[in-house]
Amino acid sequence: MKQAESTKVDWVKKGLSQGFSSGSSLLNDPALNKGTAFSESERDALGLRGLLPPRIHTMEEQVARVMENLARKPNDLEKYIFLISLQDRNKTLFYRVLLNNIEQLMPLVYTPTVGQACLEYGHIFRRPRGIFISARDKGRVADVLRNWPFKDIQIIVVTDGERILGLGDLGANGMGIPVGKLALYTACAGIHPTSSLPVTIDVGTDNEELLKDAFYIGLKQNRVRGEAYDELIEEFVTAVQEVFPHALIQFEDFANSNAFRLLDKYRNRACAFNDDIQGTASVTLAGLMSALRITGADLKDQRFLFVGAGEAGLGAGDLLTSALTTQGLSTEEARKRAWFFDSKGLIVKGRKDLRGHKLLYAHDFDCMTDLAAIVATLKPTGIIGVSGKPGLFDRQILETMAANNERPIIFSLSNPTSKTECTAEEAYKGTQGRAIFASGSPFGPVTTGGRTFSPAQGNNVYIFPGVGLGAIASGARHITDEMFLTAARTLAQNVSQADLDEGRIYPPLPKIREVSLSIATAVAELAREGGLATKEIEGDTGRYIETLMYDPTYHYDC
Ligand code: NAD
């Protein structure tokens, strides 16, 4: 992956020497531009003299300038726009800035700000990003993919925009999500920026507000569904395999009704996974494993109530089941540790409206619809919010959890912040500071009862970059559930006692590259052991993978 950059620099030199390009076109190429950091000799060799102010800045000075400019922006959306334009101008600098300030900038590049950016995508639109495949492209999807300027694509994040975070159907505006996720792949796992491709499949939107919005960027029509939709997705997957045969496909923010179906259909036909189902499951399970290191209890003695029975909740239930079966429980016994509550109430056998996956967790119990009463009756050891409905964990529920558990586990994983089931402050205050808390979007430290807590962010950014990197490094034919189980265990092992003492059940974000590398190593080894690897890694797997990780620094070739 590192090779790609120097090959491209050679290409630029060759192109310039043959008169195909000019210094100014180099400044306009975000993959090669170094701005004021071009050296004297580069300025001479590449026809840049005079096109830049004479003073040469180091990358550190450029980073400091970006951070100073960022601080001047009046709100998070403006900061997002500023960072995206930097990415459009100078990718190396963008990733250096992001990597050096990951804790501060991730909430801008990803949730919660990316949610706001998607809501207003048409209004803040500057330059196109990624590839848009619309329902009108049926029959020519491979040609559309061939328009992408980079050919060695290793990873594609694709959405159809129907369930963007907890914000619902945002149609083509959903492009902010693949763009953001791939930025995190590069920052957190060192996937080279030219090896990744964000894709939005625009089949229309059923969001009336967007359909009426003059600046909406997508097709102004209701969603194509049924056979025509399935045919377009099928054409897309087939076209990816033809045009980018080494690419892993990550399905992202598809609606529940399509997410499970598409995962089942493609998981064994392509190298593909669904991050909302499998990535979230893995980060949730890792958080539970860490939480149990604090309580000293066993996973099989827990009773978890998932509030929300969609992609995130059911995916987590399934992975929890897998983890419990490795501890000797039967699948049926394992499923009894997971209870689900959805928009219609507790999921129990007596419900007539249950379909598909939910049936697996329909226990023999009374039909109940009041969440507070359910928490009081079931006495769960942990409640996990994945409903996208804000405020569901109210004071009464938090107090009941605290009354029934010395250290209640409270995960409020819905994104963005506006959708969280409870804030960090509510969780700690409602449980006299005894909650083991994690949230999907970040919260700052909370002081209560004379103690300060640093809430952990239970976000799948801890999982997908490492899984993707491991799959790419090993050339995995498929991504398995076992890989996500391994990723969860590896992530939990990366949590130190010092983290736990501060109430953090995930490692600090600045350690994310180390975490991703250890997950990638475990995943690549699993791929090899399972006969799924197509690339042979000689020597130490971790050391080899580390050499693949893109480091955003400038290369000086002349
Ligand atoms: P989904 O649409 O598949 O499922 C939502 C579920 O919530 C459904 O079962 C629905 O019935 C239930 N629900 C809706 N209203 C409810 C209510 N009032 N009471 C109880 N249940 C209710 O969505 P999903 O993909 O499962 O995502 C759900 C949320 O989880 C979103 O906000 C998403 O942003 C978040 N999420 C977070 C992460 C993370 O890394 N933290 C990852 C994935 C998803």
Side-chain angles (χ1 to χ4, degrees):
M1 278 179 253
K2 275 182 182 165
Q3 246 175 353
E5 183 155 336
S6 60
T7 312
K8 191 133 196 281
V9 172
D10 290 344
W11 175 85
V12 169
K13 281 196 274 182
K14 201 169 149 215
L16 286 173
S17 67
Q18 293 175 1
F20 293 144
S21 189
S22 65
S24 65
S25 67
L26 186 55
L27 294 179
N28 288 323
D29 184 334
L32 297 170
N33 186 19
K34 302 179 191 176
T36 55
F38 277 111
S39 67
E40 296 285 2
S41 50
E42 282 174 329
R43 291 173 188 218
D44 286 334
L46 302 171
L48 289 165
R49 191 150 297 281
L51 300 183
L52 290 160
R55 163 91 191 273
I56 293 166
H57 285 97
T58 63
M59 191 177 224
E60 291 68 35
E61 287 167 334
Q62 289 182 314
V63 170
R65 181 164 51 205
V66 168
M67 293 308 286
E68 185 187 283
N69 274 298
L70 190 70
R72 288 211 187 108
K73 299 291 164 196
N75 57 51
D76 287 350
L77 190 60
E78 288 300 328
K79 289 180 188 196
Y80 173 89
I81 294 168
F82 172 74
L83 287 170
I84 289 290
S85 2
L86 173 62
Q87 196 180 9
D88 283 338
R89 250 182 3 254
N90 180 339
K91 278 191 196 299
T92 321
L93 183 57
F94 168 79
Y95 285 111
R96 174 49 56 200
V97 169
L98 183 56
L99 194 52
N100 286 8
N101 303 279
I102 189 81
E103 205 147 24
Q104 185 185 344
L105 299 191
M106 207 177 81
L108 295 174
V109 172
Y110 206 63
T111 182
T113 309
V114 75
Q116 191 60 30
C118 287
L119 286 168
E120 301 188 35
Y121 212 74
H123 293 256
I124 63 171
F125 186 83
R126 279 12 181 214
R127 288 176 69 161
R129 318 290 314 267
I131 285 265
F132 289 90
I133 294 169
S134 89
R136 293 192 201 137
D137 293 320
K138 208 150 173 243
R140 56 177 181 200
V141 173
D143 293 336
V144 174
L145 291 178
R146 281 193 200 96
N147 287 339
W148 190 245
F150 301 101
K151 303 304 167 202
D152 184 22
I153 296 301
Q154 312 263 4
I155 184 141
I156 288 173
V157 175
V158 58
T159 187
D160 73 352
E162 194 171 5
R163 200 241 61 200
I164 294 301
L165 303 171
L167 301 168
D169 182 356
L170 298 186
N173 283 4
M175 181 55 109
I177 296 295
V179 168
K181 286 255 156 157
L182 286 166
L184 296 182
Y185 260 111
T186 299
C188 303
I191 303 293
H192 196 283
T194 57
S195 304
S196 68
L197 172 60
V199 176
T200 289
I201 298 187
D202 179 7
V203 293
T205 178
D206 292 341
N207 182 328
E208 289 304 320
E209 252 175 65
L210 288 181
L211 289 173
K212 280 189 250 146
D213 184 343
F215 297 139
Y216 176 56
I217 58 166
L219 293 181
K220 286 224 166 189
Q221 63 176 50
N222 283 112
R223 281 187 174 270
V224 170
R225 297 197 183 274
E227 222 171 284
Y229 173 89
D230 285 356
E231 281 169 13
L232 187 64
I233 303 288
E234 172 69 21
E235 189 184 336
F236 164 70
V237 174
T238 312
V240 166
Q241 290 177 322
E242 182 191 327
V243 181
F244 303 121
H246 307 297
L248 180 165
I249 303 172
Q250 173 172 326
F251 290 102
E252 191 71 46
D253 286 6
F254 282 71
N256 192 317
S257 50
N258 290 321
F260 285 103
R261 271 180 343 102
L262 297 179
L263 178 61
D264 284 347
K265 187 167 173 187
Y266 294 112
R267 64 186 307 159
N268 294 321
R269 264 186 54 191
C271 181
F273 72 95
N274 181 303
D275 188 42
D276 305 296
I277 299 173
Q278 297 164 289
T280 312
S282 189
V283 80
T284 306
L285 181 61
L288 295 175
M289 288 170 168
S290 298
L292 297 182
R293 278 171 63 194
I294 296 176
T295 64
D298 207 307
L299 193 61
K300 56 181 188 302
D301 299 326
Q302 304 303 301
R303 178 179 291 162
F304 296 117
L305 175 62
F306 290 89
V307 177
E311 297 166 51
L314 291 168
D318 286 354
L319 201 64
L320 173 68
T321 301
S322 300
L324 286 165
T325 53
T326 65
Q327 292 191 0
L329 262 60
S330 68
T331 302
E332 204 171 310
E333 283 170 332
R335 285 194 185 126
K336 287 194 181 134
R337 271 69 177 168
W339 291 71
F340 284 87
F341 176 83
D342 69 5
S343 56
K344 308 241 168 57
L346 190 64
I347 292 189
V348 290
K349 278 209 170 123
R351 275 194 34 194
K352 299 280 173 265
D353 60 324
L354 300 178
R355 305 268 170 285
H357 230 84
K358 289 185 184 177
L359 288 165
L360 302 175
Y361 296 94
H363 303 312
D364 209 351
F365 204 76
D366 297 339
C367 284
M368 295 178 80
T369 52
D370 178 40
L371 185 57
I374 292 168
V375 171
T377 312
L378 276 183
K379 296 190 173 48
T381 51
I383 49 175
I384 297 146
V386 272
S387 64
K389 287 287 167 287
L392 279 183
F393 297 168
D394 61 17
R395 184 83 184 189
Q396 184 188 353
I397 288 175
L398 294 168
E399 286 178 357
T400 307
M401 285 300 292
N404 291 336
N405 300 281
E406 183 50 38
R407 299 298 308 270
I409 296 171
I410 316 275
F411 288 1
S412 166
L413 298 182
S414 289
N415 290 326
T417 319
S418 60
K419 303 290 177 187
T420 195
E421 284 79 7
C422 68
T423 64
E425 188 170 358
E426 286 163 350
Y428 290 120
K429 292 200 166 152
T431 59
Q432 300 117 31
R434 286 189 279 121
I436 301 175
F437 176 77
S439 58
S441 296
F443 284 105
V446 173
T447 302
T448 182
R451 285 188 66 194
T452 299
F453 301 90
S454 312
Q457 191 182 351
N459 195 291
N460 35 19
V461 70
Y462 280 113
I463 297 292
F464 67 81
V467 171
L469 177 61
I472 290 171
S474 59
R477 270 191 286 271
H478 306 296
I479 312 278
T480 61
D481 285 338
E482 214 185 340
M483 290 178 184
F484 286 98
L485 188 52
T486 296
R489 289 192 178 119
T490 311
L491 174 57
Q493 283 158 11
N494 271 277
V495 181
S496 68
Q497 190 54 47
D499 295 331
L500 295 178
D501 292 344
E502 276 184 44
R504 297 174 79 111
I505 52 169
Y506 295 103
L509 267 178
K511 274 185 68 186
I512 188 74
R513 275 213 167 195
E514 257 173 74
V515 171
S516 297
L517 177 58
S518 59
I519 290 176
T521 305
V523 165
E525 282 172 355
L526 200 62
R528 178 174 44 80
E529 287 157 19
L532 289 174
T534 58
K535 290 182 192 161
E536 206 171 313
I537 297 176
E538 278 176 24
D540 184 88
T541 309
R543 233 171 274 152
Y544 167 74
I545 294 179
E546 202 176 356
T547 65
L548 301 179
M549 291 171 78
Y550 162 77
D551 180 35
T553 46
Y554 296 137
H555 296 271
Y556 291 91
D557 296 278
C558 49

